[in-house]
Amino acid sequence: CPEQGIGLANAAIEISARADKALAAFEGDAGLRASRIAYADNRLASIGGTTRFSWREGDLTARYDLQGQDLATAQAVASEVGVEGMLRARRDFERIEFDADIDGRGVRLGSGIDSALADAASAAEDTLLGPILDRIRDRLAAEGRDSRLTGTLALRRTGGRTSLAVPILSLRGGSDSTLLSLSRFQLATGGSAARRVAGNFATGGEGLPRIAGRIEQQPGGAVQVRLRGFDESALGEGGWEVRRRDAGGTEQSDRIL
């Protein structure tokens, strides 16, 4: 479907199914393999997996296990990504429930976020923030090559209301330190009710600031972020030494402890 920006190459689907005489109910197994999938600017070099499904009286239940290679999006890239879980659709898809266990390897910043960090560092190169952003970008790139992302999520949609719950999500770097973790994260949007965002987060890793906090959207719509701690020792022994030039061109040295 080129007009929708969807591409699928060398795809093969194998289905084994059984149905009743009226074709009102059926169940079966399916296998999928494709060498390339593209949607807009998102790419997946290959995908394969299996599913076991059943349909009866407007209700669909499917258990799936999918494995992909070389995922590339503007937000993140990953060498490997696996998704396993359950999909349920009720009352002819009036309600949809999607549960997934996620396992990704080689997870790194996508080109969009990486470029944004680089631009921000360049714009702030004559301030203390510029070298800090450069350091964060370099450390995330180094940690990402052998990183692993694990977690679970639950997506629900009923009518016009969509909700996402992430009980736990953790990104561990190549050094085996936790770079980012989410817990009890919730997002709800659509329908007549107000949008809601809430959850706990923590960052860390060698050479990266260790911050723990909570984000929560207030009834009026404002988003509140509460930080519970900041461990400056994560910046490394002796802190960071930042060299910059002042307005007169004289080199200055600052140490961030």
Side-chain angles (χ1 to χ4, degrees), residues 45-231:
S46 66
I47 188 172
T50 59
T51 180
R52 182 171 183 81
F53 58 88
S54 65
W55 172 273
R56 183 180 299 274
E57 297 180 352
D59 292 347
L60 170 69
T61 301
R63 181 174 294 279
Y64 61 87
D65 185 355
L66 300 173
Q67 302 292 327
Q69 301 288 327
D70 295 330
L71 172 69
T73 73
Q75 293 74 35
V77 299
S79 301
E80 302 176 14
V81 59
V83 184
E84 180 180 0
M86 184 79 75
L87 170 66
R88 303 178 186 87
R90 300 295 181 250
R91 302 184 295 276
D92 293 322
F93 290 87
E94 179 182 333
R95 175 175 173 82
I96 299 174
E97 304 173 357
F98 176 82
D99 298 291
D101 293 326
I102 300 172
D103 190 349
R105 297 177 184 269
V107 180
R108 306 175 300 283
L109 293 179
S111 59
I113 295 181
D114 186 63
S115 295
L117 274 177
D119 291 344
S122 178
E125 62 181 349
D126 293 329
T127 71
L128 295 179
L129 183 59
I132 293 176
L133 292 175
D134 278 331
R135 176 72 174 272
I136 291 175
R137 183 169 172 248
D138 290 343
R139 290 305 306 155
L140 289 177
E143 291 277 9
R145 283 188 287 271
D146 295 313
S147 64
R148 184 175 184 184
L149 176 71
T150 58
T152 62
L153 63 85
L155 181 68
R156 303 287 185 266
R157 181 171 179 82
T158 303
R161 187 71 170 173
T162 300
S163 63
L164 172 68
V166 181
I168 186 68
L169 186 74
S170 176
L171 175 62
R172 301 185 72 86
S175 63
D176 203 34
S177 57
T178 300
L179 307 181
L180 172 67
S181 65
L182 299 178
S183 63
R184 301 175 65 183
F185 180 84
Q186 298 179 1
L187 168 66
T189 184
S192 57
R195 183 174 182 268
R196 172 172 169 76
V197 179
N200 304 315
F201 66 90
T203 67
E206 182 181 352
L208 296 168
R210 295 178 182 172
I211 303 171
R214 178 172 177 79
I215 181 171
E216 188 166 4
Q217 189 164 17
Q218 302 302 302
V223 176
Q224 182 183 63
V225 179
R226 297 195 298 270
L227 300 181
R228 293 195 298 270
F230 174 74
D231 183 3

Side-chain angles (χ1 to χ4, degrees), residues 135 207 232-242 253-257:
R135 176 72 174 272
E232 64 274 9
S233 67
L235 300 180
E237 185 177 354
W240 290 351
E241 184 177 22
V242 179
S253 178
D254 302 291
R255 183 168 295 277
I256 304 173
L257 300 176

